């Protein structure tokens, strides 16, 4: 039993993925012996409906000066954040003289660059020094710290309150969400908005995309659980907008209670969540069974290909793939190497299973028969550029929403 991180109700795990290494913990052979593992237990809170990890590594183990994820590796995501920024500017900043925007988890500046280019006052809060330095070198104002209630007060003292507080794929990374919500409340102007997006629980359950669960993803959010959290701070969801990013995400638009009209979409999405059973423990028992089925099918497919002597290479050393590889027991004899365009990952080995990670040229110079699409959330972008692989006779192996060869 652990206490829910949001409402403190004692909760039990509905599933264990077993011992897991860090999702982004790509490592060298000299580090194999000291590799860190924790038990990845997932629970559902019957009171506030938050799905969450019950055990997690310390934040400094995950976010530091050698953080492996650079947002700029996907050109599709760069376009997505340009559109996100455009929405913020048009819908929420036009009425303000000298507007101020804060982003938490700004990484290499993929979103804030759009505000910097438009000459809008901005501040990124990004604790992983190596990625923050990329943003700083591009002229994006960034502090290398973890966002918290204390930091929010400092930001207000130095800059005044913010018109918009933005966060993408980071809110769900933070177990101490109460400090974050408290900080946002202090930081936002009376008519300011909080806009954030994260992978959506509804998509994960619907697609059995269990690889969204790993150390950095403390939570899988729904409109219901997010509404519960922010209500405790006198804030409310005023709109929700589903997104295609990361295999299905939700954008939440939140303001101080009563500051803005609440869209009908919020109520409709809550009703949809009830219809999907996202408020019932049985749904997560069913989810666990679907994960087990998916695991069995993927392992069987890879073992079958190995028996036929086929070459299989992984495409995209995503943090998500750490869950799939270790949960399914995928070993270097089943997947020869993983191709990835991120320099900091290349020449290292995947967490746990120790599959080599190689530069993209290793993939193109000698195409395998099968590529296992670990970066399935970037499928359209990847398929569009990999026509030569298909022409060479190559095929894709996918596992979301179902295991198969496409
Ligand atoms: N927003 C980017 C990056 C997401 S990765 C994108 O969507 O592509 C999550 C980022 O959040 C990492 O760069 C990590 O260092 C940062 N992060 C983690 N905890 C944080 C905290 N408490 N405050 C601010 N940033 C944090
Ligand atoms: P991503 O799916 O965005 O994130 P996460 O680590 O959160 O699961 O990571 C994409 C990874 O795939 C990243 O390491 C870069 C790599 N990649 C490629 O190698 N080629 C590509 O064409 C794309 C889009 C990504």
């Amino acid at each position: 039993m652990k206490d829910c991180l949001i409402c403190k109700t004692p909760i039990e795990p509905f599933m264990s993925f077993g011992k897991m290494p860090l999702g982004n913990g790509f490592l060298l052979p000299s580090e194999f012996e000291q590799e860190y593992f924790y038990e990845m237990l997932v629970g559902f809170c019957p009171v506030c409906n938050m799905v969450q990890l019950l055990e997690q590594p310390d934040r400094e183990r995950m976010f530091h000066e050698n953080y492996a994820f650079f947002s700029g590796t996907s050109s599709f995501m760069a376009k997505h954040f340009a559109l996100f920024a455009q929405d913020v500017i048009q819908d929420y900043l036009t009425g303000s003289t000298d507007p101020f925007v804060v982003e938490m988890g700004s990484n290499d500046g993929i979103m804030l660059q759009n505000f910097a280019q438009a000459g809008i006052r901005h501040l990124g809060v990004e604790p992983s020094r190596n990625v923050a330095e990329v943003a700083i070198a591009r002229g994006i104002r960034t502090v290398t710290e973890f966002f918290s209630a204390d930091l929010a007060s400092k930001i207000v003292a130095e800059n005044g309150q913010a018109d918009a507080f933005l966060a993408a794929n980071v809110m769900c990374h933070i177990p101490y969400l109460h400090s974050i919500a408290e900080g946002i409340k202090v930081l936002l102007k009376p008519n300011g908005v909080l806009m954030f997006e994260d992978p959506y629980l509804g998509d994960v359950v619907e697609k059995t995309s269990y690889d969204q669960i790993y150390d950095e993803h403390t939570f899988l959010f729904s409109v219901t659980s997010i509404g519960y959290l922010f209500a405790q701070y006198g804030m409310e969801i005023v709109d929700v907008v589903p997104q295609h990013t990361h295999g299905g995400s939700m954008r939440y638009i939140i303001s101080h209670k009563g500051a803005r009209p609440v869209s009908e979409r919020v109520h409709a999405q809550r009703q949809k969540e009830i219809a999907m059973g996202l408020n019932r423990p049985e749904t997560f028992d069913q989810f666990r069974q679907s994960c087990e089925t998916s695991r069995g099918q993927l392992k069987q497919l890879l073992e079958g290909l190995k028996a036929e002597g086929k070459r299989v290479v992984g495409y995209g050393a995503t943090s998500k793939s750490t869950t799939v590889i270790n949960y399914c027991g995928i070993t270097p004899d089943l997947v020869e190497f993983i191709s990835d365009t991120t320099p900091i990952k290349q020449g290292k080995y995947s967490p746990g299973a120790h599959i080599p990670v190689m530069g993209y040229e290793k993939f193109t110079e000698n195409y395998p028969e099968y590529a296992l699409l670990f970066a399935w959330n970037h499928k359209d972008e990847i398929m569009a550029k990999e026509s030569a692989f298909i022409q060479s006779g190559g095929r894709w192996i996918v596992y979301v929403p179902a295991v198969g060869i496409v």
Side-chain angles (χ1 to χ4, degrees), residues 63 67 71 81 104-105 107 125-128 147 168-170 174 176:
F63 310 116
Y67 187 56
S71 302
F81 288 124
M104 173 172 78
N107 200 275
V125 181
E126 174 48 69
S128 296
F147 185 76
N169 308 303
V170 56
I174 306 184
Y176 44 98

Side-chain angles (χ1 to χ4, degrees), residues 338-349:
I338 307 171
S339 156
D340 197 284
T341 53
T342 318
I344 197 173
K345 296 181 185 177
Q346 297 164 0
K348 293 192 177 157
Y349 290 79

Side-chain angles (χ1 to χ4, degrees), residues 69 214 246 316 318-320 340-342 345 377-378 382 385:
F69 179 71
Y214 56 95
H246 291 297
T318 57
S319 34
K320 293 184 290 293
D340 197 284
T341 53
T342 318
K345 296 181 185 177
N377 47 314
H378 301 292
I382 291 169
K385 72 178 176 198

Side-chain angles (χ1 to χ4, degrees), residues 15 17 207-208 210 285-301 327-328 398-399 401-404:
M15 175 165 192
F17 283 87
K207 298 173 191 162
T208 318
Y210 63 86
D285 288 333
Q286 178 60 50
F287 173 71
R288 186 192 61 243
Q289 287 169 32
S290 304
C291 292
E292 287 164 5
T293 304
S294 174
R295 168 172 68 176
Q297 290 172 341
L298 183 58
K299 191 81 193 283
Q300 194 181 16
L301 176 64
Y327 175 62
C328 298
V398 294
Y399 48 86
V403 173

Side-chain angles (χ1 to χ4, degrees), residues 204-274:
V204 172
V205 168
E206 208 169 68
K207 298 173 191 162
T208 318
S209 45
Y210 63 86
D211 57 348
Q212 286 295 0
I213 304 171
Y214 56 95
D215 56 338
E216 292 180 22
H217 287 183
T218 316
F219 300 108
L220 284 172
F221 294 150
S222 62
V223 175
T224 309
S225 60
I226 284 300
Y228 185 101
L229 169 68
F230 283 95
Q232 296 180 36
Y233 294 87
M235 300 176 82
E236 64 186 349
I237 305 178
V238 294
D239 208 352
V240 288
V241 191
Q243 306 290 321
H244 288 296
T245 48
H246 291 297
S249 297
M250 187 63 77
R251 181 178 297 169
Y252 306 87
I253 304 171
I254 295 177
S255 72
H256 295 293
K257 194 165 171 50
R260 293 176 183 274
V262 177
S263 158
E264 182 47 35
R265 278 186 290 267
V266 180
H267 176 69
Q269 194 67 36
R270 279 205 174 103
Q271 292 305 113
K272 217 167 147 183
E273 291 180 352
I274 293 169

Side-chain angles (χ1 to χ4, degrees), residues 54-331:
L54 301 186
E55 200 182 308
Q56 213 188 2
D58 293 341
R59 65 185 189 180
E60 286 78 11
R61 262 190 199 280
M62 301 186 277
F63 310 116
H64 42 60
E65 69 287 359
N66 287 313
Y67 187 56
F69 179 71
F70 287 71
S71 302
T73 46
S74 162
S75 58
F76 172 80
M77 289 307 290
K79 282 186 214 131
H80 171 76
F81 288 124
L83 293 174
F84 190 150
Q86 214 175 65
D87 285 351
V88 176
I89 294 170
Q90 272 167 14
D91 297 345
Y92 299 104
L93 301 186
T94 44
S96 176
T97 47
D98 193 20
F100 177 46
V101 175
V102 176
E103 189 192 359
M104 173 172 78
S106 46
N107 200 275
D108 57 10
I110 193 166
M111 166 116 79
L112 282 184
Q113 64 186 348
N114 300 288
F115 294 94
Q117 278 154 18
I120 293 170
R121 235 166 19 105
H122 61 273
L123 182 67
V125 181
E126 174 48 69
S128 296
R129 182 169 294 278
N130 59 336
V131 293
E133 275 168 1
V134 174
I136 292 165
R138 292 159 83 192
I140 296 156
R141 222 177 132 226
T142 308
V143 288
T144 315
E145 284 187 59
F146 287 94
F147 185 76
S148 64
D150 285 349
L151 185 68
S153 304
K154 263 197 242 163
I155 295 175
V156 175
E158 287 166 19
N159 305 270
Q161 284 180 309
D163 296 84
F165 185 95
L166 312 177
N169 308 303
V170 56
M171 197 69 84
C172 74
H173 289 50
I174 306 184
Y176 44 98
L177 273 187
H178 286 287
S179 171
I180 302 295
E182 211 180 301
I184 294 170
K185 188 169 175 61
V186 169
L187 189 48
L188 277 188
K189 284 182 181 173
N191 65 343
V193 284
L194 157 64
M195 290 171 77
F196 70 94
E197 52 190 43
D198 281 290
Y200 180 56
L201 176 66
D203 286 287
V204 172
V205 168
E206 208 169 68
K207 298 173 191 162
T208 318
S209 45
Y210 63 86
D211 57 348
Q212 286 295 0
I213 304 171
Y214 56 95
D215 56 338
E216 292 180 22
H217 287 183
T218 316
F219 300 108
L220 284 172
F221 294 150
S222 62
V223 175
T224 309
S225 60
I226 284 300
Y228 185 101
L229 169 68
F230 283 95
Q232 296 180 36
Y233 294 87
M235 300 176 82
E236 64 186 349
I237 305 178
V238 294
D239 208 352
V240 288
V241 191
Q243 306 290 321
H244 288 296
T245 48
H246 291 297
S249 297
M250 187 63 77
R251 181 178 297 169
Y252 306 87
I253 304 171
I254 295 177
S255 72
H256 295 293
K257 194 165 171 50
R260 293 176 183 274
V262 177
S263 158
E264 182 47 35
R265 278 186 290 267
V266 180
H267 176 69
Q269 194 67 36
R270 279 205 174 103
Q271 292 305 113
K272 217 167 147 183
E273 291 180 352
I274 293 169
M276 282 186 75
L278 299 186
N279 57 341
R280 288 200 306 270
E282 307 84 78
T283 304
F284 300 97
D285 288 333
Q286 178 60 50
F287 173 71
R288 186 192 61 243
Q289 287 169 32
S290 304
C291 292
E292 287 164 5
T293 304
S294 174
R295 168 172 68 176
Q297 290 172 341
L298 183 58
K299 191 81 193 283
Q300 194 181 16
L301 176 64
L302 293 174
E303 281 171 346
L305 292 173
K306 186 193 166 192
E308 290 172 28
K310 305 289 189 201
R311 281 185 69 219
V312 179
V313 162
Y315 195 104
T318 57
S319 34
K320 293 184 290 293
S321 71
T322 297
T323 297
V324 177
I325 289 170
N326 292 286
Y327 175 62
C328 298
I330 298 173
T331 43

Side-chain angles (χ1 to χ4, degrees), residues 374-392:
F374 287 131
W376 58 268
N377 47 314
H378 301 292
K379 188 170 166 200
D380 294 346
E381 177 176 351
I382 291 169
M383 299 278 168
K385 72 178 176 198
E386 296 301 351
S387 51
F389 166 58
I390 298 299
Q391 274 153 24
S392 79

